[in-house]
């Protein structure tokens, strides 16, 4: 049965309307039967001038679809004021992004959520949703939440429909998603969770858009815990999803099997080494998926890119979002991943017509050797798999030796029209997830060479920020309260920084007085403690995402040692947010900063806490109103330098080495490059995984590299941010200085053969 989603609307468009339909085995788009092999690419993680080349590479990689979230916080930065810009240089220009995808012939899966996860701050939910609507519980039956997400859904589809981007007007959008991985966190909401899922599924499937494109709701269970609503298509996310197909088939026999997020790598946190997922393992996961009946598979990500500015999620995720995927952060092909997967996609497209109409016939030959076969007329396609992890080959039909943890695709001729196993002859291997490594490009890696002709002058100190004092209480630019106030309530997330300052009268000199409070950790842990304007202690613990479910405070108790002198001491605590938690239930509980009384040597400080919001110089090109004296610790300094632009910058791929600069934030000509931090990965736990030898279930800890090294040293500089003529200004805010001399270098980013 072919379920058809039909709609031919009266749309003024030159492109012809087309239909999107599917059954349990295939997609029919504009009359063409096809499997869909896609990849995720988030528009704000590259600059618009880079989008066309990345789409072309996706196409060259053999993908026919792109998947993106629509980031609510970009499109409704202020409550009730939608922002869908048409400026061709604005990374929030969703319409242009989708038009560029269409130009190279890629379909689009638009994930409107609007909750995105995506290692994006607050999961893409605007922070005003929690700071201005404190009673609202996200992702529940809450009236205000439902109203806001429905409005956002309406608005987004109004924008893309008006731009002619829906299939019904010849555009590239062939499917939509509501919610996102809710099944993973549904347990946290009790029975209300299922009621909410049903409500949003009903909303989307009653929306006019559902007459045009299918509605997907990924990771909504299927035999494990939660039950997906029947009116939306459930989909699977993970490193492997082939074992999910059977459950999905049983509960939804007419639905296609969709693997919405196959993770070809993983993201990285500060203090972690670099994750790598072997290409042969990614290929194995994909081959197994199609072997067992999948018809849609999407890489999350195809291109990861960069979390520029303050948009990275948390806690403690680095600025690069390379994700170890086939098209790296700089737009280069990462090998052998790119070529091994391109060959796989070509092999799958070449046999898909044999696979469209039947369920696979599965058989085994011993414990680890499995065959899935498909027949059509005189053609047969066999997926020969070795799911063993012991290094032993599987032998099939006396002629195919399949290495462990790999799948080969074999084609042949069938002399019988009764499809059954064993009737395939003249068999030939067209692809193997390990055997094709021989034909793949040689492994390569990113290399950074000094950009000889882009010489950044010496860094000059523009200004040193004065540490606030308790006397600031008299100023009308601060907020004084008896006890500390939560950071997001003060900032609306418009800045990373809040100062908590108070005066403490110490009965005696002491070298190790104890400062105690609860610190909310949804934005990571970044604290600096000053006494009388001098840095005395820092807390840079990388706290992991413990659950906000059990602990609605989501805070950690800190006990910090500071020296005090007898009598009056001004104590200033600088709290820094590092990107808000983006995963888990109850994101409206995201909190940052000090969330308890502050105690010194066991006594509550209630003489009034002076809250100073933001960092002096921030957002005003580093103009500091109150310049502090030089501190020996070199903290809280704005550095600047200028340099002439190279003429050929548009043709270059460059980054900046900030490894000597400690921790802070960097700007090129006013564009926020991202947060930087000289945080090192631990010395242990790295392991180079050989593509051929790799066996067994992947997890991000398995094949990391870069132990003992900085989690990130080079930060991408999009060429469009340079002034092509005249001077360029680099501005760096250093919260805490690095070791050694402060210097930066611009580097050319190239690829070179890797050692493997
Ligand atoms: C099953 O395994 C045996 C021994 O490894 C091999 O000789 C035979 O060809 C295999 N059978 C099939 C159908 O592949």
């Amino acid at each position: 049965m072919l379920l058809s989603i039909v709609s031919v609307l009266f749309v003024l468009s030159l492109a012809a309307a087309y239909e999107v339909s599917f059954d349990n085995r295939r997609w029919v788009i504009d009359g063409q039967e096809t499997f869909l092999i896609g990849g995720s690419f988030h528009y704000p993680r590259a600059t618009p001038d880079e989008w066309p080349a990345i789409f072309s590479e996706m196409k060259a990689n053999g993908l026919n679809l792109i998947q993106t979230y629509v980031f609510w916080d970009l499109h409704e930065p202020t409550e009730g004021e939608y922002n869908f810009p048409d400026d061709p240089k604005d990374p929030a220009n969703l319409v242009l992004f989708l038009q560029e995808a269409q130009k190279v012939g890629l379909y689009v899966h638009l994930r409107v959520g609007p909750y995105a996860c995506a290692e994006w701050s607050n999961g893409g939910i605007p922070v005003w949703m929690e700071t201005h609507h404190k009673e609202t519980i996200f992702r529940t039956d809450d009236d205000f939440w439902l109203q806001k997400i429905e409005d956002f859904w309406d608005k987004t589809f109004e924008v893309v429909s008006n731009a002619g981007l829906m299939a019904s007007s010849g555009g590239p959008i062939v499917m939509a998603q509501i919610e996102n991985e809710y099944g993973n966190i549904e347990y946290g909401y009790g029975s209300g969770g299922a009621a909410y899922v049903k409500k949003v599924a009903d909303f989307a499937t009653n929306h006019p858009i559902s007459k045009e494109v299918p509605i997907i709701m990924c990771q909504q269970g299927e035999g494990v815990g939660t039950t997906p609503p029947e009116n939306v298509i459930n989909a699977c996310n993970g490193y492997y999803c082939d074992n999910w197909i059977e459950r999905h088939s049983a509960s939804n026999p007419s639905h296609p099997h969709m693997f919405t997020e196959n993770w070809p790598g993983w993201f990285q946190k500060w203090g972690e080494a670099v994750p790598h997922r072997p290409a042969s393992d990614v290929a194995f996961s994909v081959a197994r998926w199609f072997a067992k009946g999948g018809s849609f598979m999407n890489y999350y990500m195809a291109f990861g890119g960069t979390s520029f500015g303050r948009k990275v999620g948390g806690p403690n995720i680095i600025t690069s979002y390379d994700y170890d995927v086939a098209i790296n952060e700089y737009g280069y092909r990462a090998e052998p991943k790119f070529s091994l997967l391109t060959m796989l996609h070509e092999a799958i497209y070449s046999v898909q017509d044999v696979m469209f109409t039947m369920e696979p016939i599965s058989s085994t030959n011993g414990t680890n050797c499995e065959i899935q076969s498909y027949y059509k007329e005189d053609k047969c396609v066999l997926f020969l798999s070795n799911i063993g992890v012991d290094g032993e080959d599987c032998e099939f039909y006396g002629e195919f030796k399949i290495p462990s943890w790999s799948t080969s695709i074999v084609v042949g001729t069938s002399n019988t029209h009764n499809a059954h196993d064993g009737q395939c002859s003249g068999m030939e291997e067209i692809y193997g997830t390990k055997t094709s490594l021989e034909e793949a490009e040689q492994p390569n890696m990113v290399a950074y060479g000094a950009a000889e002709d882009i010489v950044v002058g010496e860094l000059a100190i523009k200004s040193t920020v004065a540490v606030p004092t308790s006397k600031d209480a008299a100023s009308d630019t601060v907020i004084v309260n008896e006890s500390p106030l939560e950071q997001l309530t003060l900032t609306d997330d418009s800045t990373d920084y809040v100062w908590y300052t108070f005066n403490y009268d110490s009965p005696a000199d002491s070298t190790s007085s104890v400062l105690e409070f609860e610190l909310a950790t949804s934005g990571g842990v970044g604290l600096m403690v000053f006494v009388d304007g001098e840095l005395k202690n820092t807390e840079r613990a990388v706290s992991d995402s413990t659950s906000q479910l059990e602990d609605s405070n989501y805070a950690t108790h800190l006990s910090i040692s500071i020296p005090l002198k007898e009598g009056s001491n001004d104590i200033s605590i600088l709290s820094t947010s590092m990107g808000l938690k983006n995963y888990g239930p109850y994101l409206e509980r995201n909190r940052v900063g000090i969330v308890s009384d502050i105690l010194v040597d066991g006594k509550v400080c209630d003489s009034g806490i002076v809250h100073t919001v933001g960092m002096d110089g921030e957002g005003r090109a580093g103009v500091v109103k109150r310049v502090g004296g030089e501190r020996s610790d070199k903290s809280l300094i704005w550095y600047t330098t200028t340099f002439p632009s190279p003429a050929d910058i548009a043709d270059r791929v460059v980054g900046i080495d900030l490894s000597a600069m400690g921790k802070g934030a960097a700007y090129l000509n006013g564009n926020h490059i991202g947060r930087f931090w000289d945080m090192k990965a631990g010395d242990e736990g790295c392991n180079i995984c050989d593509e051929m030898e790799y066996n067994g279930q992947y997890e991000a800890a398995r094949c990391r590299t870069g132990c003992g090294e900085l989690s990130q040293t080079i930060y991408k500089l999009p060429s469009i941010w340079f002034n092509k003529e005249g001077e360029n200004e680099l501005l760096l805010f250093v919260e805490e200085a690095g070791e050694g001399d402060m210097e930066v270098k611009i580097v050319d980013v190239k690829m070179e053969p890797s050692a493997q």
Side-chain angles (χ1 to χ4, degrees):
M1 179 184 48
L2 196 65
L3 300 179
S4 212
I5 304 236
V6 191
S7 179
V8 183
L9 301 174
F10 296 98
V11 176
L12 289 174
S13 168
L14 294 176
Y18 62 88
E19 285 180 24
V20 179
S21 59
F22 59 82
D23 63 14
N24 64 330
R25 292 295 303 125
R26 74 210 140 124
W27 297 85
V28 184
I29 298 184
D30 200 8
Q32 302 286 311
E33 289 180 295
T34 190
F35 282 164
L36 291 170
I37 305 182
S40 296
F41 169 14
H42 299 151
Y43 45 104
R45 285 182 155 134
T47 53
D49 57 304
E50 299 173 316
W51 294 342
I54 296 163
F55 284 132
S56 296
E57 285 297 85
M58 288 176 69
K59 189 81 182 164
N61 190 211
L63 305 182
N64 57 13
L65 174 139
I66 90 120
Q67 185 191 68
T68 185
Y69 288 114
V70 181
F71 294 98
W72 185 8
D73 61 345
L74 290 186
H75 300 299
E76 196 179 350
T78 306
E79 184 174 351
E81 292 175 25
Y82 290 112
N83 170 46
F84 285 92
D86 55 11
D87 175 356
K89 287 187 176 159
D90 193 330
N93 191 336
L94 176 67
V95 165
L96 178 62
F97 180 76
L98 300 176
Q99 286 167 338
E100 295 293 349
Q102 183 175 22
K103 271 188 207 159
V104 299
L106 293 165
Y107 297 121
V108 173
H109 176 200
L110 200 66
R111 305 219 278 179
V112 181
Y115 163 70
C117 197
E119 288 69 63
W120 193 260
S121 194
N122 219 36
I125 302 168
V127 171
W128 52 256
M129 278 293 291
E130 56 233 53
T131 54
H132 297 190
H133 301 279
K134 290 194 190 291
E135 301 306 312
T136 299
I137 303 175
F138 300 171
R139 305 176 80 194
T140 65
D141 227 345
D142 179 287
D143 285 342
F144 184 70
W145 169 260
L146 289 172
Q147 188 57 54
K148 288 308 291 182
I149 67 166
E150 292 177 11
D151 288 352
F152 184 66
W153 177 278
D154 286 347
K155 184 66 192 177
T156 302
F157 281 106
E158 180 194 313
V159 167
V160 296
S161 297
N162 287 346
L165 293 166
M166 298 301 295
S168 55
S169 45
I173 299 171
V174 294
M175 58 185 71
Q177 175 175 290
I178 188 141
E179 253 301 337
N180 181 44
E181 295 193 338
Y182 194 83
N184 290 359
I185 50 114
E186 197 171 312
Y187 68 92
Y189 295 95
S191 58
Y196 167 68
V197 166
K198 185 174 176 333
K199 217 163 228 184
V200 290
D202 287 347
F203 164 73
T205 51
N206 289 326
H207 194 275
I209 221 73
S210 68
K211 308 276 179 303
E212 305 183 40
V213 292
I215 309 293
I216 320 298
M217 198 188 258
C218 71
Q219 203 65 348
Q220 201 48 53
E222 208 88 83
V224 274
T226 55
T227 311
E230 277 168 20
N231 47 356
V232 291
I233 301 172
N234 185 23
C236 181
N237 296 345
Y239 290 116
Y240 313 89
C241 278
D242 50 297
N243 291 332
W244 170 89
I245 288 177
E246 209 175 321
R247 292 199 299 272
H248 184 241
S249 262
S251 50
N252 285 291
S254 65
H255 282 183
H257 306 307
M258 301 182 68
F259 191 169
T260 28
E261 292 189 13
N262 185 349
W263 309 318
W266 197 241
F267 64 92
Q268 189 184 356
K269 292 191 161 194
W270 298 111
E272 287 181 350
V274 188
H276 297 286
R277 185 177 179 194
S280 63
D281 180 62
V282 182
F284 180 56
S285 159
V286 177
R288 292 286 291 163
W289 170 256
F290 284 102
K292 291 173 91 172
S295 66
F296 175 105
M297 193 283 311
N298 178 80
Y299 296 105
Y300 185 98
M301 306 293 295
F303 167 83
T306 313
S307 303
F308 296 115
R310 302 180 52 256
K311 283 301 184 186
V312 72
N316 294 308
I317 299 168
I318 69 168
T319 295
S320 167
Y321 199 62
D322 181 85
Y323 223 90
D324 189 44
V325 296
I327 305 167
N328 76 14
E329 181 177 8
Y330 295 94
Y332 289 118
R333 298 177 179 188
E335 296 293 0
K337 208 167 262 181
F338 188 96
S339 55
L340 189 69
L341 296 177
T342 305
M343 289 187 281
L344 170 59
H345 307 149
E346 280 165 6
I348 290 170
Y349 294 130
S350 77
V351 297
Q352 61 178 4
D353 67 306
V354 182
M355 302 169 70
F356 285 147
T357 50
M358 64 176 286
E359 299 286 349
I361 299 168
S362 287
S363 60
T364 54
N365 186 16
T367 327
N368 294 325
C369 310
E370 232 182 78
I371 305 171
Q372 271 84 30
S373 10
Y374 293 88
Y375 299 86
K376 187 187 179 191
E377 291 155 8
D378 63 344
K379 291 186 214 147
C380 41
V381 175
L382 272 54
F383 288 78
L384 308 179
S385 293
N386 181 344
I387 58 172
V389 297
D390 52 9
E392 297 288 320
D393 288 351
C394 276
E395 203 180 309
F396 293 99
Y397 306 109
E399 55 177 315
F400 300 104
K401 283 198 166 65
I402 310 301
S404 60
W405 207 251
S406 80
T407 293
S408 286
I409 305 173
V410 166
V411 296
T413 331
S414 175
N415 52 13
T416 166
H417 292 255
N418 294 325
H420 63 277
D421 188 23
Q423 298 300 312
C424 196
S425 60
M427 291 181 279
E428 188 197 342
E429 178 181 325
I430 57 164
Y431 180 84
T433 61
K434 276 187 178 169
T435 53
S436 292
L437 276 166
E438 258 179 57
E439 296 142 59
E441 296 292 329
Q442 288 307 301
N444 63 4
M445 55 187 272
V446 172
Y448 307 105
E452 309 277 344
D453 56 334
I454 313 182
V455 182
V456 174
E458 283 219 357
L459 289 174
I461 292 180
K462 189 159 186 169
S463 54
T464 302
V465 174
V467 175
T469 74
S470 59
K471 293 191 188 68
D472 295 350
S475 156
D476 57 8
T477 61
V478 300
I479 295 151
V480 185
N481 197 53
E482 194 173 294
S483 53
L485 298 168
E486 191 275 330
Q487 186 158 335
L488 292 176
T489 312
L490 293 168
T491 64
D492 264 344
D493 201 36
S494 60
T495 169
D496 282 355
Y497 307 105
V498 164
W499 289 95
Y500 296 87
T501 304
F502 58 95
N503 189 267
Y504 179 74
D505 205 7
S506 177
D509 283 348
S510 112
T511 51
S512 54
S513 279
V514 179
L515 188 62
E516 272 179 284
F517 50 84
E518 299 280 321
L519 184 78
T521 52
S522 312
V525 176
L527 270 193
M528 299 173 79
V529 182
F530 295 80
V531 178
D532 292 330
E534 283 198 36
L535 182 60
K536 294 299 178 195
N537 216 326
T538 57
E539 283 289 328
R540 297 291 189 210
V542 174
S543 89
D544 219 329
S545 30
T546 52
S547 174
Q548 290 185 158
L549 175 61
E550 290 81 30
D551 176 11
S552 63
N553 285 322
Y554 195 50
T556 191
H557 184 88
L558 288 183
S559 220
I560 298 168
S561 172
I562 47 167
L564 294 175
K565 63 176 190 301
E566 188 184 334
S568 161
N569 296 269
D570 260 358
I571 302 175
S572 296
I573 305 168
L574 175 62
S575 165
T576 307
S577 176
M578 297 283 294
L580 300 177
K581 188 169 153 73
N582 57 269
Y583 181 77
Y586 300 113
L587 286 181
E588 72 285 351
R589 295 179 185 173
N590 270 352
R591 298 194 305 168
V592 186
I594 300 175
V595 291
S596 70
D597 284 331
I598 299 174
L599 283 74
V600 178
D601 291 333
K603 284 194 286 288
V604 173
C605 299
D606 52 9
S607 60
I609 309 289
V610 180
H611 301 81
T612 312
V613 174
M615 184 56 60
D616 201 0
E618 198 184 13
R620 279 158 286 133
V623 179
V624 170
K625 288 176 293 183
R626 285 190 340 174
V627 177
E630 190 143 319
R631 277 187 300 276
S632 55
D633 55 57
K634 296 200 208 149
S635 61
L636 308 181
I637 297 176
W638 286 93
Y639 289 92
T640 179
T641 186
T642 57
F643 59 97
S645 192
D648 59 347
I649 191 66
D651 306 320
R652 286 170 74 165
V653 180
V654 294
I656 185 162
D657 184 341
L658 296 172
S659 57
M661 297 307 294
K663 180 178 188 295
Y667 306 79
L668 175 62
N669 296 322
N671 299 287
H672 198 322
I673 298 165
R675 299 187 186 94
F676 62 85
W677 195 359
D678 57 351
M679 184 76 170
K680 274 190 184 143
D683 287 328
E684 301 290 324
C686 282
N687 178 20
I688 291 180
C689 291
D690 180 89
E691 290 284 353
M692 258 331 261
E693 304 297 320
Y694 180 87
N695 288 316
Q697 299 261 340
Y698 174 76
E699 47 173 293
R702 273 195 75 171
C703 309
R704 290 192 194 259
T705 60
C707 281
E709 291 168 26
L710 298 187
S711 290
Q712 184 167 359
T713 55
I714 309 293
Y715 296 74
K716 184 176 169 182
L717 298 178
S719 61
I720 200 172
W721 288 357
F722 285 82
N723 288 326
K724 289 185 184 55
E725 282 146 37
E727 293 289 291
N728 291 277
E729 192 200 22
L730 187 68
L731 190 63
L732 301 169
F733 179 63
V734 173
E735 295 164 18
E736 195 181 356
E739 295 158 17
D741 293 340
M742 306 295 261
E743 57 167 3
V744 298
K745 282 194 296 282
I746 292 191
V747 294
D748 280 310
V749 183
K750 299 212 163 84
M751 299 302 284
E752 68 178 27
S754 66
Q756 205 188 82

